[in-house]
Amino acid sequence: MGPEVDDDREPWWLVTSVFDPDGTGSDFAYTEGLAAVGEPELHLWARPTRGDDPGLDWKLSPRDCCLILNQLAWRLLDGRLSVGDSWTEEYDEGFVTAHFSIGAPVDAASVDAFGAGDAPVLPISWSLRRPPVGPPRSMDPAARAAAESTYAQDVLMVGSEPRPVPPGWELPRKPRWDCDERFGPRTPSVLGKAARLWIATPVQWRDVVDYVVTAANQRLPISYARAVALSAAREVGRVTALERLILEVGAAVDEFSRESGSEIWGSLRDQYCHGLEEAEAGHAWSEVSTEVKDALATFLVVEAAADLLPDRVVRLGQGVVLAALTPAGLAPDTRWQCGPVVDRAVSELVADTRVSALVEAAAAWDEIYWREGGAGFAILTWTSAGCSRPIFVVLDADRCDAASDLLRARGLGLGTLQVWLTSLATVLAERVSIDQSVVDEFLRAGRAVPGLKELVNTPLPPEAA
């Protein structure tokens, strides 16, 4: 018997989250207000309170605690929660299991719930179950072959020109895929992805920072992908390697910002701190650079564990950074590609539409996609399996040339039409996840495209699993 996750009623009570100032993990949360209707308050520690696993490297986030307490509060108010009730929840894509139970009422002061006053408090105890940390294990042959292919593509993108990189982050002369490598068996893949960062242009670095800040402002839970990677790494003995990677990424970015990337980093700081006083600018840039380092650490940790993770977790952890390093509207790799049903729908619509109408729709959507109000949809295109195939595959050479000429006359490039194609594919693939106002704007921008509204508003057959 677990708390419902789909209760859309608005809580009228508060949930107070308390952080442990000493950093020992004694964070907790509790409700305030249930006592007003004669019910006890609820209390939840962020780390396990029983069981053999103390969760020294795993805890519930304040958001987790808030969701759990609100769901349980509704059960309590509905008369469906009692002392002794217990249930099990899965976290981190099933790599982690928590067993919860409701204890007998205690005094608020005994669990530091001072905001609850004299009201009794129901403590929620819980235990954590995870696979034990195993010995380092090699990838299976299929995973290694896929990693070698991805690495080869990254090396091709980086090119053969020697570029300055932070010490220790050079591409290996001969990649080794052994389980005892510095960042685990996927160490070459990690170095390949990192190399794409070190050789990124100033415009790409600007996009990396812009996209990371946008994702943070939209509360995209990128860090969830890192948590899943660390949980998945336990059984195959990669935890130490991933923890080492997290520490080394921060140091490498600091080195890059001081040395080969100092001009890029300085320009980014000026951009984000323009018009601020020095003290305020220092604080603002510190926050931005911390967000960027965290996102880059997640980006590379997910790469180090990609063979263990569902594609949707890889897209979440890497999509924001890879979108900045990949031409707009193109899939970073096949995990971002839309399925065959959506691909067929896009291709058929485009085949039946005049090039001039496609260009008109793309140009109108361009003004919406890049503005602040379109940030949520842009993030969806970066993190979902909704990218169209490249424009030169969807359109034949003559139509591509015609589109290029029309777009150039508007001061735009073919990338504008590529973004529109991927936006269409994303709308079709993720229709239920997209706010209706965004869909309406997309349709208004594409009003010159015959059949667009009918296609978007007609459910497509499900993609094959």
Side-chain angles (χ1 to χ4, degrees), residues 205-216:
W205 267 109
R206 182 204 65 198
D207 287 347
V208 167
V209 176
D210 284 350
Y211 292 7
V212 167
V213 170
T214 297

Side-chain angles (χ1 to χ4, degrees), residues 307-337:
D307 57 307
L308 310 173
L309 306 175
D311 286 350
R312 65 180 177 279
V313 174
V314 175
R315 290 193 295 264
L316 174 63
Q318 294 194 322
V320 170
V321 174
L322 283 180
L325 301 178
T326 306
L330 290 178
D333 66 40
T334 56
R335 286 170 291 202
W336 279 261
Q337 199 83 48

Side-chain angles (χ1 to χ4, degrees), residues 123-134:
I124 304 157
S125 65
W126 63 285
S127 61
L128 187 65
R129 291 201 300 273
R130 300 182 287 177
V133 176

Side-chain angles (χ1 to χ4, degrees), residues 179 181-185 237-246 304:
C179 59
E181 287 293 294
R182 177 162 135 232
F183 303 135
R238 293 190 209 171
V239 173
T240 300
L242 266 58
E243 290 175 341
R244 180 186 300 118
L245 175 56
I246 291 169

